[in-house]
Amino acid sequence: MINKQKIYLTAMSAISAIGDQADDHFESIKKEKTGIGEVDFLQTKHRQNFLFGEVKKSNSNLIKELELSSGYYSRTSLLGLFACKQLLETAKLSPDLRTGFISATTVGGMDQSEHYLQNYLKGEFLDFAKEHPLGSSTEFIANQLNFKGYRTTLSTACSSSANAIILGSRLIQSGMLDRVVVGGVDVLSAFTLNGFNSLMILDPQLCKPFDAERKGLNLGEAAAYLLMENQQSMEQGKRTAIATLSGYANTNDAFHQTASSPDGDGAFAAMSGALLSAKLNPQDISYINAHGTGTPNNDLSEGIAIQRLMANTSIPFSSTKAFTGHTLGAAAAIEAVISLLCIQNQYLPLSLNFYNQMPELNINPIKQSIETNIVKHVISNSFGFGGNNSSLIFSKPE
Amino acid sequence: MKTSIAIQSSALISPFQELEMVSLTSQMQNNFGNQANAIEPNYKDYIPAMQSRRMSRILKMTWVAAEIALKRAQIAIPESISVASSMGCLSDTIKFLQEMIENEEEFMKPTAFINSTHNTLAGYLAIGLKSKGQNFTFTHKDLNFEHTLLEAAIRLNTNEVQIVLIGAVEEITTETHTIRENLGLLRSAQQESHLLFEQHEKGYIEGETAAFMVLQSANKATTMPIIQWISFHYDLKSPQDFNESYHDFLLANHLQKHQIQVIIGGNTGDSAADKVLNQWVEQQNNSSKYLKYKHISGEFASSGIIGIWLGSKILEQQNVPNYLNHDFNPNQKISRIAIINHNGMNNYSFILLSSNDTI
């Protein structure tokens, strides 16, 4: 990456099972309070069999809180709008600079289509059909918030919103945009639940990232967005930087559609690539917010990669997915928000539900949260199906 | 944004072009009704039978188009892969969904789920081609290929990457065709596709395609068509709005109207959606020859790649295929083509494609 100008992150918003706004996420993590539990809203036969990170607001409550007229909305559109609206309340954006909007999602309007497919074919509930494409939630949010400029949608499975952040940075670097709202949204659906269940990578109990006894992941839902801008835009808006995006990399494992290479090559390439682009060394890194889904495969592969990266140094790392659940296309955005909260509060969160060291590793994730003053550079990892690996580096502003 | 990107090669599986054909002269006029299905190759010629059995139709289309594009550019392993697929692997998505409904969420097999993810195509290519670089999938509702192209162009411009395999893939399924018909998005099934633009009616022809290109930074030695400009123009509600944007585009590229010999317009065929574009074209007094193509390709969210492909072939072959225009005999060299696209949402992309001697 040619670093022509610094990319500043100046505002953030998030809604997930552990809170309705970004700061709530820090409070829940500090109190070691998970958001994973039984579902109230997701309609599935398996509701008793699994635990989920569900946002405790029904669609009709969201419609009311968002002051929308009654209509046909996917939950994806609603949660996405909830988070974006909040972001723009914190950061007022003047219309004279070029603003973009990049939203990542994997589920789109599936939460409705899975109930109404047969109706669509008969010409019924077509307003839900219009909400089905992934780009529909992006367009809906843009229309509601009067975003008139560049907007697009990315979908690369569980690394989707990390790639939205990478794209945002490139658009600012290239001079196309002055600022861009980047992030992602995904909601619980029976489709994804049954998909992950068929792959046998769900833990019926609370997930245990990086634990020797881990059995799989818990699905969650979330929306999270961040405001990225160049210096001119930040100064004009009289905002201060929470962090800078100092490096990133997206690489491909080229190994298997749904599994990571056991030697951690893909994860290692993403982290090394991000370090290279940030011109940093492993010993400069204060913390790694791992992808850490809790599946046997991911945590082994990522754990080995982190161990390789550390070499002779030691880097604190943890997964925060035992708080939020795995929120798929929104995961990287939620974890970017958590990474920024770590920088803002100089705090390193524990890896919840970790008890036993993995026999394949000689490193352990953070067992007890750490209040500190050394959080300078944070790596955030997000890995997805299709071998899609992204690492982002957020840095404390100088 | 100014760019300098050479289209090293391309290959497409589309409703109007046989995969192995590279000439524009042949007669390929077909009548599709409101559904323009791709002319598929004989996959046996390209994919071993064992492998083929495990691949969905859209995956086969993707694999073969990508493989041919790479072969034409003489590239074995692309450094990076980008795919535009607004709707992703629809057949697998619907298959998994229907199984879930029929089996009441029991005894689900993972194959269709694995293949349903939007980035299955780009991921599959990465595995098959051992391409370990960046691997993005764009899934926006309009101008989806142009978004994909812009991102690749930024990396090529900064030399972050030297070679990118880029493509656009969308498939038609029985179910989504019915749903689009129900939504009133399409022309009637009796539509004669070659008359799409003559009959001013609502609706477009649904299309599908798997198209790939190998892109590389252009330099003095480049002989292939060059993408010199990519921009997006939003919320253009009148021919005046449109004209201002077009004027800005010319100005940014230091060009006069007449220096663009051909404009390739992404008119969808839906008379309401095309209104601004049609009115603007009428005001142009033929300073550039205006060609439309969505009657031969059909319309889809990543259809922009078709316009760019046609533009590159017209520049290379100095010939306009008769299925695009019956009365156009260029009496001067075609050196610059403006490619304008929209997908019916008041948002437009402008791309400048030039022959190598213009740089």
Side-chain angles (χ1 to χ4, degrees):
Chain A
M1 180 170 68
I2 300 160
N3 253 321
K4 286 181 223 125
Q5 49 178 337
K6 275 209 157 73
I7 304 291
Y8 299 94
L9 293 133
T10 57
M12 55 187 175
S13 65
I15 177 166
S16 79
I18 56 168
D20 297 354
Q21 42 190 321
D23 288 343
D24 296 347
H25 287 70
F26 183 63
E27 291 309 314
S28 296
I29 288 171
K30 227 175 146 178
K31 289 180 187 144
E32 299 184 17
K33 197 168 157 270
T34 181
I36 297 167
E38 288 176 9
V39 274
D40 293 335
F41 309 120
L42 176 69
Q43 291 173 46
T44 164
K45 199 177 175 181
H46 300 293
R47 52 186 302 149
Q48 307 290 339
N49 306 342
F50 296 103
L51 301 171
F52 301 87
E54 188 179 55
V55 171
K56 294 302 175 195
K57 286 180 191 293
S58 67
N59 285 6
S60 50
N61 275 346
L62 285 164
I63 291 170
K64 213 155 97 190
E65 283 185 45
L66 290 164
E67 296 169 359
L68 293 167
S69 53
S70 62
Y72 298 88
Y73 308 101
S74 71
R75 189 166 171 81
T76 308
S77 288
L78 296 172
L79 273 194
L81 178 61
F82 189 95
C84 279
K85 210 175 160 186
Q86 205 176 73
L87 184 80
L88 294 191
E89 277 158 15
T90 356
K92 299 260 183 283
L93 304 181
S94 59
D96 53 327
L97 293 179
R98 295 160 305 167
T99 308
F101 177 47
I102 306 166
S103 186
T105 181
T106 69
V107 79
M110 183 57 88
D111 62 303
Q112 301 295 353
S113 293
E114 66 192 21
H115 302 298
Y116 298 111
L117 176 65
Q118 301 309 331
N119 300 87
Y120 298 168
L121 294 169
K122 285 183 259 169
E124 301 159 1
F125 291 94
L126 290 171
D127 287 316
F128 278 138
K130 287 185 204 160
E131 283 267 283
H132 181 85
L134 301 188
S136 290
S137 56
T138 311
E139 284 295 321
F140 171 78
I141 298 165
N143 284 337
Q144 288 291 323
L145 299 174
N146 222 13
F147 273 121
K148 297 271 189 205
Y150 176 93
R151 48 194 186 265
T152 199
T153 313
L154 281 174
S155 192
T156 57
C158 306
S159 57
S160 298
S161 46
N163 295 338
I165 292 170
I166 293 175
L167 173 62
S169 170
R170 288 212 170 101
L171 290 168
I172 297 175
Q173 289 287 2
S174 72
M176 265 242 345
L177 297 175
D178 297 304
R179 54 166 103 96
V180 52
V181 172
V182 290
V185 52
D186 256 338
V187 300
L188 291 170
S189 73
F191 186 91
T192 35
L193 169 68
N194 280 282
F196 280 89
N197 192 24
S198 71
L199 286 163
M200 295 184 288
I201 51 174
L202 292 173
D203 189 335
Q205 303 302 314
L206 290 171
C207 68
K208 298 184 274 294
F210 296 109
D211 190 278
E213 309 289 313
R214 70 197 181 284
K215 298 215 161 45
L217 58 86
N218 304 137
L219 287 168
E221 61 184 355
Y225 292 90
L226 303 104
L227 177 63
M228 284 170 86
E229 44 191 346
N230 62 20
Q231 190 159 355
Q232 184 203 357
S233 172
M234 177 173 73
E235 283 171 1
Q236 199 214 51
K238 297 191 173 63
R239 287 179 285 272
T240 49
I242 305 166
T244 58
L245 178 72
S246 51
Y248 53 73
N250 171 262
T251 62
N252 198 286
D253 216 356
F255 175 73
H256 189 272
Q257 281 286 13
T258 59
S260 305
S261 58
D263 54 11
D265 275 353
F268 184 77
M271 288 189 285
S272 327
L275 282 170
L276 192 70
S277 87
K279 300 192 182 74
L280 292 171
N281 295 309
Q283 53 268 33
D284 299 321
I285 299 301
S286 330
Y287 167 62
I288 298 172
N289 186 291
H291 186 53
T293 55
T295 63
N297 174 253
N298 176 81
D299 294 6
L300 175 61
S301 163
E302 187 179 14
I304 286 173
I306 291 174
Q307 188 167 295
R308 272 171 70 188
L309 192 82
M310 284 188 195
N312 302 318
T313 177
S314 163
I315 309 171
F317 72 99
S318 64
S319 162
T320 46
K321 286 200 172 61
F323 288 100
T324 57
H326 188 359
T327 62
L328 310 178
I334 276 285
E335 285 156 30
V337 166
I338 292 173
S339 298
L340 263 56
L341 287 166
C342 291
I343 292 173
Q344 208 172 32
N345 296 288
Q346 293 292 306
Y347 189 89
L348 302 181
L350 83 165
S351 217
L352 197 65
N353 306 336
F354 169 80
Y355 304 105
N356 306 304
Q357 179 164 357
M358 287 166 57
E360 302 90 345
L361 297 181
N362 54 33
I363 54 169
N364 281 319
I366 303 170
K367 287 180 205 165
Q368 263 188 330
S369 299
I370 307 164
E371 287 190 50
T372 172
N373 55 9
I374 54 102
V375 188
K376 206 169 170 201
H377 302 290
V378 173
I379 292 183
S380 177
N381 283 342
S382 296
F383 309 137
F385 281 4
N388 205 293
N389 301 322
S390 291
S391 295
L392 307 171
I393 302 181
F394 299 106
S395 300
K396 190 181 160 187
E398 280 157 19
Chain B
M1 194 181 76
K2 269 203 187 311
T3 61
S4 183
I5 312 296
I7 302 173
Q8 285 303 114
S9 71
S10 54
L12 68 164
I13 296 173
S14 74
F16 67 97
Q17 174 78 10
E18 300 271 5
L19 179 68
E20 293 294 353
M21 279 187 172
V22 283
S23 167
L24 292 173
T25 49
S26 45
Q27 175 61 257
M28 277 172 274
Q29 187 89 329
N30 279 314
N31 200 7
F32 313 117
N34 63 359
Q35 177 175 346
N37 289 109
I39 305 165
E40 292 177 78
N42 190 353
Y43 294 116
K44 274 190 281 189
D45 299 343
Y46 303 94
I47 309 170
M50 274 282 284
Q51 198 184 339
S52 187
R53 270 200 295 276
R54 291 194 297 265
M55 294 168 78
S56 64
R57 176 174 167 265
I58 190 174
L59 201 50
K60 283 187 237 183
M61 283 168 64
T62 299
W63 178 258
V64 174
E67 199 183 32
I68 301 295
L70 288 167
K71 206 162 95 189
R72 286 179 181 156
Q74 296 179 314
I75 301 284
I77 304 175
E79 229 182 308
S80 171
I81 298 168
S82 288
V83 172
S85 186
S86 184
M87 297 301 287
C89 305
L90 278 169
S91 299
D92 295 289
T93 307
I94 292 163
K95 190 177 170 201
F96 191 77
L97 193 49
Q98 280 175 337
E99 274 174 19
M100 189 177 105
I101 295 164
E102 279 159 25
N103 301 347
E104 295 177 337
E105 301 186 51
E106 298 286 354
F107 318 113
M108 300 294 296
K109 289 184 290 292
T111 314
F113 177 70
I114 294 166
N115 290 335
S116 76
T117 325
H118 277 69
N119 70 328
T120 297
L121 306 171
Y124 191 90
L125 288 175
I127 295 166
L129 299 168
K130 303 199 177 3
S131 169
K132 298 194 170 191
Q134 184 179 306
N135 191 280
F136 272 16
T137 298
F138 282 75
T139 57
H140 200 52
K141 258 194 131 164
D142 72 343
L143 307 176
N144 196 36
F145 179 70
E146 289 85 343
H147 288 153
T148 312
L149 178 65
L150 175 75
E151 194 277 337
I154 292 173
R155 283 182 291 140
L156 287 162
N157 273 351
T158 54
N159 286 318
E160 194 182 325
V161 65
Q162 307 306 316
I163 291 166
V164 178
L165 174 69
I166 189 171
V169 189
E170 304 287 356
E171 69 171 325
I172 297 175
T173 66
T174 324
E175 291 81 3
T176 43
H177 184 73
T178 305
I179 293 168
R180 286 190 173 118
E181 274 189 331
N182 289 345
L183 282 163
L185 297 172
L186 306 181
R187 287 285 176 100
S188 82
Q190 285 76 44
Q191 176 67 42
E192 289 181 81
S193 55
H194 64 282
L195 297 177
L196 177 71
F197 297 113
E198 269 87 80
Q199 297 161 338
H200 294 274
E201 286 169 28
K202 212 172 135 26
Y204 56 81
I205 296 170
E206 183 183 26
E208 64 174 2
T209 279
F212 280 83
M213 291 176 169
V214 173
L215 303 181
Q216 206 167 332
S217 277
N219 56 45
K220 289 279 172 220
T222 298
T223 56
M224 307 306 281
I226 296 162
I227 298 168
Q228 292 195 308
W229 177 266
I230 306 166
S231 60
F232 295 93
H233 306 268
Y234 289 92
D235 211 26
L236 306 184
K237 286 186 174 139
S238 67
Q240 291 74 27
D241 286 353
F242 191 93
N243 202 47
E244 268 176 43
S245 289
Y246 192 71
H247 184 75
D248 291 346
F249 159 76
L250 292 175
L251 208 64
N253 287 289
H254 309 290
L255 292 172
Q256 308 280 327
K257 259 186 188 178
H258 67 87
Q259 290 177 289
I260 304 230
Q261 292 86 27
V262 173
I263 298 175
I264 296 179
N267 301 50
T268 65
D270 182 297
S271 57
D274 287 342
K275 201 173 156 195
V276 168
L277 207 45
N278 287 338
Q279 286 178 352
W280 178 78
V281 173
E282 274 170 34
Q283 295 164 8
Q284 292 312 298
N285 302 323
N286 283 329
S287 51
S288 317
K289 188 72 196 173
Y290 192 88
L291 305 174
K292 304 169 200 172
Y293 61 88
K294 288 182 184 170
H295 59 303
I296 58 161
S297 67
E299 167 69 327
F300 46 95
S302 309
S303 59
I305 197 165
I306 304 282
I308 299 169
W309 181 85
L310 282 165
S312 71
K313 292 295 153 203
I314 291 170
L315 285 177
E316 277 173 30
Q317 299 175 17
Q318 290 294 310
N319 183 22
V320 174
N322 56 6
Y323 49 80
L324 291 189
N325 195 288
H326 293 276
D327 60 358
F328 182 44
N329 286 312
N331 49 12
Q332 53 173 329
K333 185 174 184 311
I334 304 170
S335 56
R336 286 189 198 86
I337 300 181
I339 298 158
I340 293 168
N341 194 25
H342 81 131
N343 303 105
M345 289 166 62
N346 289 335
N347 310 321
Y348 297 83
S349 60
F350 290 1
I351 285 170
L352 178 64
L353 198 64
S354 303
S355 54
N356 61 313
D357 52 7
T358 63
I359 59 165

